Amino acid sequence: EVHLEESGGGLVQPGGSLRLSCAASGFSFGSFDMTWVRQAPGKGPEWVATIAAAGGSTEYADSVKGRFTISADKARNSLYLEMHSLKSEDTAVYHCAIGDRDEVAASDGLYWGQGTQVTVSS
């Protein structure tokens, strides 16, 4: 029933920008905190950002703070991640996920989408 589908990834040069989208269905989108997590080649999952269902407050990993912006459109059941000043170390598969940072870490991918590849390279 629950379905999350990411899009918007691709190849971009260092310093460039991308906007990722996540289309959600099968659950009450507006009732859940939502998170972006990424996984680089040969690395474990890394939390990126979370937006709260109540109030819309946001939290970011130190590595992306000031460069990335998470947002949600509850009317369209969509989650977004705007990425600017991209670096090679941002290269990863980016997943949207249901829940806050701790819930996503504990779920071990249960509530993740399939992901979209972001490659930052010259």
Side-chain angles (χ1 to χ4, degrees):
E1 288 285 13
V2 173
H3 185 68
L4 302 169
E5 185 167 349
E6 301 91 339
S7 62
L11 175 64
V12 64
Q13 293 188 332
S17 300
L18 283 174
R19 175 180 162 97
L20 306 184
S21 298
C22 172
S25 62
F27 66 102
S28 298
F29 180 79
S31 299
F32 292 87
D33 296 351
M34 295 293 294
T35 286
W36 286 98
V37 62
R38 67 187 182 186
Q39 190 161 8
K43 303 289 186 179
E46 179 188 14
W47 170 73
V48 174
T50 294
I51 184 165
S57 62
T58 57
E59 297 178 353
Y60 298 91
D62 288 342
S63 59
V64 307
K65 195 172 298 179
R67 300 187 298 119
F68 291 12
T69 301
I70 186 172
S71 62
D73 186 337
K74 293 184 177 182
R76 296 179 178 178
N77 284 10
S78 295
L79 182 73
Y80 305 98
L81 186 69
E82 293 192 8
M83 307 184 295
H84 300 282
S85 301
L86 284 162
K87 307 172 181 179
S88 60
E89 49 263 49
D90 295 317
T91 296
V93 177
Y94 285 71
H95 304 265
C96 62
I98 303 169
D100 63 21
R101 177 181 181 177
D102 294 333
E103 291 169 332
V104 169
S107 71
D108 195 29
L110 261 178
Y111 306 114
W112 296 13
Q114 83 291 336
T116 185
Q117 176 72 51
V118 172
T119 302
V120 185
S121 177
S122 299

